[in-house]
Amino acid sequence: MSSRSALSPLQAPHLARIYLENACKATDPNLILVLRHDTKVSSKDPEEYLLASVGGEPNNESPLTSTNLVDEPSIVQLLGERVKQDPSFKQQLLDYIEYSKKDKKWRIAAANAITILIRAGTQFNGADLRGIRIPGADLSYGIFDSAQLQGADLRQVNFRGVWLRQANLNKAHMLGVQFGELSYLKHNSPVETMVYSPDGKSLATALSTCGILLYSTLTWERLWTLEGHTGHVESIAFSPGGNQLATASWDRTLRLWDLSTGECTHILIGHSDWVRAVVYSPRGDQIISCSDDRTLKIWDTTTGECHHTLTGHVGYIIAVAYSPKGNQVASGSGDLSVRLWNTSTFECSHILLGHTDRVKRVLYYPQGDRMVSIGDDNSVRLWDLTTGDCIHYLEIPGWRTYIEHSPKRDQVAYVSRDTSVQLLDFETKNPLHTLIGHRDIITAMVYSPRGDLIATSSNDKTVRLWDVETGKCLRILTGHSKEVTCVVFSPNGDRVVSISNDLTVRVWDIGPEIPRHASSGHNRRIWRIKTSPNGRHVVSCSEDTTVRIWNVETGECSFTLKGHTNTVYSIVFSPQGNHFATGSWDHTVRLWSTETGVCIRTLIGHTDEVNLIAYSPQGDQLASSSNDGTVRLWNVPSGECRLKLEGHTALVNGVVFSLDGNHLASCSWDNTVRIWNVQTGACTQTLAEHSDIVRRVVYSPQGEYVASASDDHTVRVWDVATGNCQYTLTGHSDMVYSTRYSPDGNLMVTISADRTARLWDAKTGECRHVLSGFNDEVNCAAFSPQGDLLASAGSDRTLRVWDVKSGKCRALIQDLLVNVWDIDWIHGSDACLLVSGCQDGSVWMWELIDDGKDQLQVRLHWSSMNNVLVVTDANVQHVKGLGHFNQELLKQRGAVVEQPEQQVEQISDQTKEEQSLGIRGRSV
């Protein structure tokens, strides 16, 4: 990390000013003279100079107009904070962008301005940015949904992780733009493993069909397809010079390949069982292989002859490594030992004992005097290779999937509880950080070459990059559509490559330093998202134990509410909307002020997780359901528990008041629905015809019926007065998660694990429409306030809007790349707004526009977070200077891209004009 970024974020104003002055010195020696001699401000306050110089008519002498501040992150952050505090300053920056449309002399100021605005969280959805000149700007993680960028000068702009859905970039100048990733490589069969060449110029992948594909990392063209093995390819190794490739296979052979011709020069036969690994000697004249036949073999890489066979292990051999000088070989075996072999005499010099399970990794220290071994006994042992003594060891309790030793040799990382990574100090054995974020099993983990980053891949379809020093997740790499099975760093650490069961290899450009992108949203799954009755606020609750209040119009997070100590599972607004309640797995319910975010009181009494909660129609009572098998009725003004309703024999997961507030319905995992008298606490009805868990219960708008959704694949509608089942809604082929009535009570919607939602006639129980097209479970559905539209979302990462009369899908949003867990419509707004809460903790507000066509227009109103490149339906036709690889990437991501008639010039070849602008070359 550079000294600049180490100071970010700046804590004290006086330090910020000192830093700003020093940064200006480093950026432009003449700049500080301008700052000190400007007559408008004090010579000791360069920050105020920067800000004051923006006001009024454009100031040619302002540092913003003459100095590129894009690559000065602390200055950009400082000014970004000022944007949040001063609306007039924000408008002044927007003016600079507008000025650039008319005169190119404002392009540096415009590039600085838009970079600052993006860092401040400004979103440019639907903005008219036609013809702006912002060469070299950093738009990373910005949001430009449906933005108009026709004819814009976007040369060398950083588009990493930008949301450009439906944006128009027709005829824009895009020479040298950077998107932070390359087009993916598609295969016809799964990729089992991959490895970079030492110089990073080639990448070899082994397929499940036993073939090996070799790619150039400069052009990402396939160089060779290497075929010949008849069994799984277990190991691939490049020669130190990168001109030869060695492969080891379960077909009991090794093969040597000439990478200049793609021909197999030698088939090495001699092992009598699977060959587990192959490595080159430091000089490249030999390779050594290890096998399940309990031997190691040393082969000549020129002739292919086997020079020596090393025997002694009494178990299969998994790991092998050459020492840095090549004078020694270490091998790890299923016989629980490590053996050291002299490569001059080929004798075993030491047998290292101590592991109690197979040894799967052996790693030499750079000096060659020490070595680390990692075993399936969950221990890491450090050996003195002169004496053969174990001088340090670290034992990790429990079963662990992956254990890695840092290249810095100062720490150990291991996968804990399948979905998290634990970092330990290797010497003291003290825990350093726990890396939490993945939603499914971690499939691979690797340190960067410098040891400052860790990359993890997971069955949750993502790759995560972590800062080793802080333990923070720096980036979530999304794009794979199935489980990610492996991840590697390039030799210089500037790229990450991942392989997935979706049969693709994806290449991510992480650059020499990862931008620390901050989100204003949750950092874990959102369980519920609700809008206030007046339509001014959105409230979300999350697994991260926090509750957040959002401004509907601006998308700003007004308050982050802390107090719960476990997942916050449910939210409900009071009828008046002036306060709301949250239910948590910390066994409590909390009441909050909507306007101030202050916790009014905490309701304590449940002895297990609190599930759904409900206000009475009058707002004076609150009901809560819990895993402790009870429902509690609380007096809202006093916070006292009025009644404890007992009767269910399993956890209670839903509760709702009747229209008049005199009764309460609850549902349970005991397969029943119960109706309670709110005044006496007596159970007046037990509705017990379901044959499996009851997930949800709701009252009809008129209050005469309750409907219950169950894991028995049905919904039952009950007469409240008699307790009789009026009818049963059948048709789903899997558990039904929830049901809702339309605002007028004429329709019902049900959502199911069978990947469908259904619309029903609430009076007859007849199925009106089966809403299909989902590729996974449907998690949520909600009627619009007018009842003419239905929104649904699920685990297939899509959000769909349906016409309730025809059952046709009128809008499909499929750019979220994460599961949507809850949705709600905004009430009382002139625009048709829909909000969604997602698995990654992000909140998205959508505007639906009906222009009389079959399909609704969908525009992003705002988002709390964006960390992925989205260019779906973006118009990238007739652009200038867009390279071939970027064109392929944009086409794969769904942009409308034309094929160029001839290849454009290389990005590194800057024009004279670009050089005069001082635009720094960026790699594509």
Side-chain angles (χ1 to χ4, degrees), residues 521-535:
H522 298 282
N523 56 38
R524 303 195 69 179
R525 172 181 8 201
I526 291 175
W527 274 112
R528 298 284 181 269
I529 191 159
K530 300 298 176 188
T531 61
S532 61
N534 62 11

Side-chain angles (χ1 to χ4, degrees), residues 185-187 189-192 194 457-458 461-463 479-487 497-506:
L185 310 174
K186 183 70 175 179
H187 297 83
S189 57
V191 180
E192 302 284 353
M194 57 186 170
S457 61
S458 169
K461 308 173 188 177
T462 71
V463 173
H480 284 296
S481 59
K482 290 187 177 180
E483 301 84 355
V484 187
T485 57
C486 184
V487 60
V497 181
S498 57
I499 57 179
S500 165
N501 287 339
D502 63 10
L503 308 185
T504 67
V505 175
R506 290 184 179 263

Side-chain angles (χ1 to χ4, degrees), residues 648 670 672-675 683-689 718 723:
H648 284 295
D670 65 6
T672 71
V673 174
R674 288 177 176 259
I675 309 295
C683 178
T684 60
Q685 300 280 358
T686 300
L687 313 179
E689 294 186 24
W718 313 82

Side-chain angles (χ1 to χ4, degrees), residues 345-360:
T345 64
F346 304 105
E347 294 180 353
C348 177
S349 59
H350 291 96
I351 302 176
L352 312 181
L353 300 176
H355 286 288
T356 58
D357 204 337
R358 66 175 186 170
V359 182
K360 60 183 180 182

Side-chain angles (χ1 to χ4, degrees), residues 782-791 801-804 810 825 832 848 856:
F783 285 99
S784 63
Q786 295 76 25
D788 57 333
L789 297 174
L790 177 78
V801 180
W802 310 83
D803 182 274
V804 299
R810 298 197 62 193
W825 296 85
C832 185
L848 305 177
L856 298 169

